[in-house]
Amino acid sequence: MAYSGSTQPLLSLFSLPQPYQTYQSRKIQLLSSSLNRQHSSFRSKNHNLKGTFPTVKSPLFTRMPLLPGGGGRLRHKVGAHKEDSSAESKSLVSGVASQQEDFAWSSVILPFLFPALGGLLFGYDIGATSGATISLQSPELSGTTWFNLSAVQLGLVVSGSLYGALLGSILVFPIADFLGRRRELILAASLYILGGLITGFAPDLGVLIVGRVLYGLGIGLAMHGAPLYIAETSPSQIRGTLISLKELFIVLGILLGYLVGSVQIDAVGGWRYMYGLSAPIAALMGLGTWSLPPSPRWLLLRAVQGKGSLQEYKDKAIQAIRKLRGRGADDKLSEKQVEDTLFSLKSAYADDESEGSFWEVFQGSSLKAFIIGGGLVLFQQITGQPSVLYYAGSILQSAGFSAAADAARVSVVIGTFKLLMTGVAVLKVDDLGRRPLLIGGVSGIALSLFLLTAYYKFLGGFPIVAVAALLLYVGCYQISFGPISWLMVSEIFPLRTRGRGLSLAVLTNFGSNAIVTFAFSPLKELLGAENLFLLFGGIALLSLLFAIVFVPETKGLSLEEIESKILK
């Protein structure tokens, strides 16, 4: 294809030094954006001239996404042609897209570890509660005079943290961007400490329930702030691995809770130790998070929102990236990353209000993100995860496992298998990608639920079918809905609405969890176990269709690229 001579000086940009390429790229982008805004304003004031003047679309170039580790690049276009100008330009674009951010592993560990302790403490509450409720109701071991709890009172103790988490998810919606990810995690750790101590030293049932609700508030904030902080501070090439590791920490917490419960189950007042042990872990989380820098992307968002000096926020963001990546004070790459991200934010929100309205989460690209993220965390719960695990003991007993008579040991067996399968997801999520794990895992979930239906309907004489179905369900859940849902939720929302969007997703998750938990017994009585699993199997097929049609692949993309490529 022949090119006009007028394009040659612009094409020569590809051979110029990188900083100058970035500078020229930005000039062209800003000029195009400015002309479009002026043109739109002119047309709105002169509507009778509609169609007279074509919109400026910068026909020679389209903007390539700004990569964390590299400057903006230009793709050459001539006229209305969509293809690249030559094999050479294709090679160049491919090379730029494949650039990866450099980082030191030693600097990545702590920014992941301390927020992930928020997930561990969530899992610990699940595991510890199973043993604590047994200890609390024992006349000999409770160490109280109020051990004879009614079904409603016991339900309040067990579900107190769940409803606290629901309340926390609601409260964090309007204040998430004001607090920031780091302060939100510190507040979550404080609530964990307060809730754990009040629960451990509770003199009566009322105080115990208050402690459980406060601990639940910590869960709501931690499950919102931790994935946000990890997603916004992780290098893009390992973001999936680190957020999936947070799910592994939840499973580790469950196992730790089971272990402490089995050790303290024969001690008088053992339930106090089971709940109280969360306080020192939460203190470690709080102190560790205090030592971390704020999220650089959050700092730049606040700068664009006009919440302080632009230069001051830029300087803080540069320092934060240097600390997060283990770079020296003379490093220039961090400055460039901040400039690129800031430029992207300004370009995206130049014509909008600095802060979005309450309803912005339900508009445009944010609505698309909420459909994807909210749909995943909804299907995560309504495909029957709590109900299948409820049947774990009876299924293993029917297969002749002597350990099934011991609830604590059965829980440890299931928990260990969950941990192993979560490890598979952690190792493969940034290799295979999100979609293959999600689609394959949900397919296995549907198959396992139909196998359980068949077992309860007409294969009762073959308990190995039930055991295989149970393990298939647990394993497939841990490589799909378990880690992938939270991963997608943490990375899919635009930065402008990421805090509010994730709080709605967390609310959806805990709300659907509460509904499924509440509705399980009535549905079991109404439908029977076999038809209940059949219902869950049908929902699993719907969730599989949802994953195939709506869930995109985000492997290897920066958060800015996800916003520009997938949500627009």
Side-chain angles (χ1 to χ4, degrees):
M1 179 182 294
Y3 297 101
S4 65
S6 62
T7 66
Q8 295 304 319
L10 293 175
L11 281 173
S12 67
L13 283 174
F14 289 124
S15 62
L16 292 174
Q18 178 66 31
Y20 191 68
Q21 292 179 31
T22 304
Y23 171 71
Q24 293 291 348
S25 170
R26 289 176 181 168
K27 284 176 62 180
I28 292 171
Q29 293 164 18
L30 284 172
L31 176 61
S32 176
S33 176
S34 175
L35 288 171
N36 277 322
R37 286 198 297 272
Q38 293 176 27
H39 171 59
S40 298
S41 176
F42 180 82
R43 287 179 62 177
S44 65
K45 293 176 182 177
N46 300 273
H47 57 86
N48 59 314
L49 299 178
K50 184 177 181 181
T52 305
F53 300 97
T55 302
V56 178
K57 293 186 179 180
S58 186
L60 292 178
F61 295 93
T62 56
R63 188 176 117 197
M64 291 297 292
L66 294 172
L67 301 179
R73 296 280 185 157
L74 302 178
R75 176 187 293 159
H76 188 74
K77 290 177 66 181
V78 176
H81 290 285
K82 302 295 184 183
E83 68 274 8
D84 293 335
S85 60
S86 66
E88 181 180 356
S89 66
K90 289 182 181 179
S91 173
L92 176 62
V93 171
S94 176
V96 172
S98 64
Q99 288 180 1
Q100 292 186 326
E101 184 179 1
D102 66 310
F103 62 93
W105 271 102
S106 58
S107 64
V108 171
I109 293 173
L110 294 183
F112 157 77
L113 177 62
F114 294 124
L117 288 178
L120 184 141
L121 287 165
F122 172 40
Y124 179 81
D125 181 69
I126 296 172
T129 297
S130 66
T133 52
I134 297 173
S135 172
L136 185 61
Q137 295 179 97
S138 170
E140 299 83 13
L141 301 176
S142 68
T144 70
T145 57
W146 40 275
F147 58 84
N148 191 19
L149 303 180
S150 67
V152 172
Q153 290 172 329
L154 182 62
L156 288 174
V157 172
V158 173
S159 62
S161 61
L162 174 61
Y163 290 104
L166 271 171
L167 179 60
S169 304
I170 296 171
L171 293 177
V172 81
F173 182 87
I175 64 173
D177 284 340
F178 166 74
L179 282 178
R181 302 17 170 164
R182 175 176 168 270
R183 283 187 291 185
E184 184 179 349
L185 287 169
I186 293 172
L187 179 58
S190 302
L191 289 166
Y192 274 143
I193 294 171
L194 187 62
L197 290 176
I198 289 177
T199 304
F201 290 99
D204 56 50
L205 180 63
V207 175
L208 175 63
I209 293 173
V210 169
R212 297 288 293 142
V213 172
L214 286 173
Y215 193 95
L217 284 172
I219 292 175
L221 267 64
M223 295 305 291
H224 176 267
L228 266 181
Y229 187 88
I230 295 171
E232 291 186 356
T233 59
S234 301
S236 58
Q237 62 264 39
I238 61 168
R239 185 177 64 242
T241 297
L242 292 180
I243 297 177
S244 300
L245 270 174
K246 184 190 70 68
E247 174 70 18
L248 186 137
F249 267 62
I250 295 175
V251 179
L252 276 175
I254 294 173
L255 281 176
L256 180 61
Y258 288 151
L259 179 61
V260 173
S262 64
V263 170
Q264 293 292 329
I265 196 67
D266 294 325
V268 176
W271 61 273
R272 296 185 183 276
Y273 296 100
M274 298 177 201
Y275 281 135
L277 185 63
S278 61
I281 302 174
L284 176 63
M285 171 190 168
L287 292 173
T289 306
W290 190 279
S291 69
L292 299 177
S295 161
R297 285 184 170 92
W298 174 77
L299 289 169
L300 295 176
L301 176 64
R302 299 301 279 174
V304 171
Q305 291 174 340
K307 299 302 179 181
S309 166
L310 176 62
Q311 188 59 47
E312 182 181 349
Y313 273 120
K314 282 175 59 178
D315 291 341
K316 288 181 178 179
I318 292 169
Q319 293 172 9
I321 291 182
R322 285 173 176 166
K323 187 172 182 179
L324 289 165
R325 299 293 180 267
R327 298 169 184 163
D330 58 344
D331 135 80
K332 298 299 181 184
L333 181 58
S334 298
E335 296 181 21
K336 190 172 185 309
Q337 287 181 261
V338 167
E339 289 290 347
D340 287 345
T341 303
L342 187 60
F343 179 80
S344 179
L345 279 170
K346 285 181 175 179
S347 299
Y349 307 131
D351 297 328
D352 299 326
E353 298 176 7
S354 61
E355 284 190 279
S357 66
F358 178 88
W359 297 106
E360 187 177 359
V361 179
F362 303 103
Q363 300 171 1
S365 59
S366 295
L367 175 60
K368 183 176 180 181
F370 181 66
I371 290 173
I372 296 169
L376 283 174
V377 295
L378 176 65
F379 281 120
Q380 182 190 54
Q381 295 300 322
I382 64 175
T383 46
Q385 186 219 178
S387 306
V388 172
L389 295 182
Y390 176 88
Y391 271 86
S394 63
I395 290 172
L396 291 175
Q397 279 181 331
S398 70
F401 284 79
S402 59
D406 186 339
R409 291 182 183 178
V410 171
S411 299
V412 170
V413 169
I414 298 297
T416 302
F417 186 67
K418 283 167 67 72
L419 183 67
L420 291 174
M421 295 307 296
T422 306
V424 172
V426 168
L427 293 173
K428 293 298 182 181
V429 68
D430 280 322
D431 180 19
L432 295 177
R434 284 67 159 150
R435 275 177 59 87
L437 286 175
L438 183 65
I439 292 172
V442 175
S443 300
I445 287 174
L447 175 60
S448 68
L449 288 167
F450 290 132
L451 283 174
L452 284 172
T453 300
Y455 170 73
Y456 279 101
K457 278 186 175 293
F458 47 80
L459 294 178
F462 301 93
I464 190 63
V465 173
V467 176
L470 174 65
L471 295 179
L472 179 63
Y473 184 96
V474 170
C476 289
Y477 179 88
Q478 291 307 133
I479 65 170
S480 57
F481 277 139
I484 303 299
S485 296
W486 289 110
L487 169 56
M488 293 296 298
V489 163
S490 64
E491 63 186 9
I492 197 67
F493 283 98
L495 179 57
R496 181 182 174 91
T497 58
R498 188 170 295 145
R500 291 176 174 176
L502 187 55
S503 68
L504 280 179
V506 173
L507 178 62
T508 301
N509 180 269
F510 286 120
S512 56
N513 188 342
I515 292 172
V516 170
T517 302
F518 175 80
F520 172 73
S521 292
L523 283 174
K524 174 177 170 290
E525 184 176 341
L526 177 66
L527 301 175
E530 64 278 10
N531 292 322
L532 183 57
F533 286 129
L534 182 61
L535 173 63
F536 286 143
I539 296 174
L541 289 179
L542 287 177
S543 69
L544 177 61
L545 180 63
F546 174 84
I548 293 172
V549 173
F550 291 103
V551 179
E553 181 57 75
T554 57
K555 179 184 72 170
L557 298 177
S558 71
L559 297 180
E560 288 75 25
E561 287 176 311
I562 292 172
E563 183 173 349
S564 63
K565 289 183 176 181
I566 294 176
L567 297 180
K568 295 301 182 184

